[in-house]
Amino acid sequence: MFEKYIAVFFICMVPLIELRGAIPIATAWGLISTENIPQMIATYALCILGNMLPVPIIFFFARRFLEWGQDKKLIGKMCTFFLTKGSNAGKKMQEKAGRGLFVALMLFVGIPLPGTGAWTGTLAASLLDMNAKETIIAVMAGVLLAGIIMLLASLGVLGAAGALL
């Protein structure tokens, strides 16, 4: 059982998968169920922790790495692509959000769709030169929201609500 918790924790750290993939896996492995609420809460907290652990590292070092790597032979094109793509996407988000950039970042991270999440949101915030504290709080709120959505979806609550409506 301990190995499953460790695996779920590390799955939450994987870009693009994050807790959006870890919570359904934890449910399939029996770590999340309505029959054992304390275990479900512990697994949810573990997923949040695993998803948030890379956030400060991404915020403070990803941009530096991409800027450093853009003139390197093997990784230059990829780094330039991510810098350009992230910068353009960040500017568009900033234009649309205006003063609501905190809420926009939280919702971007919180809505569990492919390509959104803590990794992408933190990198975008870094490229927009957002405040570190504000970024971490917005990403944390988004991860909590995504976790709740995925938890409800994994337990079938959202499917049941959809059937009623």
Side-chain angles (χ1 to χ4, degrees):
M1 187 69 89
F2 182 72
E3 296 86 12
K4 291 180 181 179
Y5 283 110
I6 296 297
V8 165
F9 179 74
F10 283 111
I11 290 169
C12 288
M13 289 188 216
V14 176
L16 299 174
I17 297 174
E18 302 181 30
L19 63 73
R20 293 156 170 74
I23 288 178
I25 290 170
T27 304
W29 287 347
L31 301 177
I32 294 178
S33 71
T34 55
E35 296 165 6
N36 192 342
I37 302 298
Q39 181 179 353
M40 179 173 67
I41 292 170
T43 304
Y44 173 77
L46 187 69
C47 288
I48 299 299
L49 180 63
N51 203 171
M52 285 301 297
L53 197 62
V55 167
I57 297 164
I58 296 164
F59 185 82
F60 290 112
F61 298 109
R63 180 180 183 173
R64 290 181 186 167
F65 172 78
L66 293 173
E67 288 172 348
W68 168 83
Q70 61 185 339
D71 63 347
K72 304 298 183 257
K73 186 176 181 179
L74 293 174
I75 60 172
K77 289 181 181 179
M78 179 183 65
C79 289
T80 302
F81 171 79
F82 282 119
L83 277 172
T84 305
K85 191 81 166 167
S87 215
N88 291 341
K91 288 175 186 173
K92 286 180 185 176
M93 184 169 68
Q94 194 170 31
E95 288 172 7
K96 290 180 181 180
R99 292 169 117 355
L101 194 55
F102 177 90
V103 174
L105 179 59
M106 180 193 72
L107 291 175
F108 178 80
V109 172
I111 298 173
L113 294 172
T116 67
W119 281 75
T120 310
T122 304
L123 181 59
S126 173
L127 292 172
L128 288 172
D129 291 321
M130 284 182 67
N131 176 303
K133 183 178 177 182
E134 186 176 287
T135 297
I136 291 171
I137 292 170
V139 170
M140 178 67 153
V143 167
L144 289 169
L145 175 62
I148 290 169
I149 292 169
M150 291 308 301
L151 189 63
L152 293 174
S154 293
L155 293 173
V157 174
L158 296 180
L164 290 174
L165 299 173

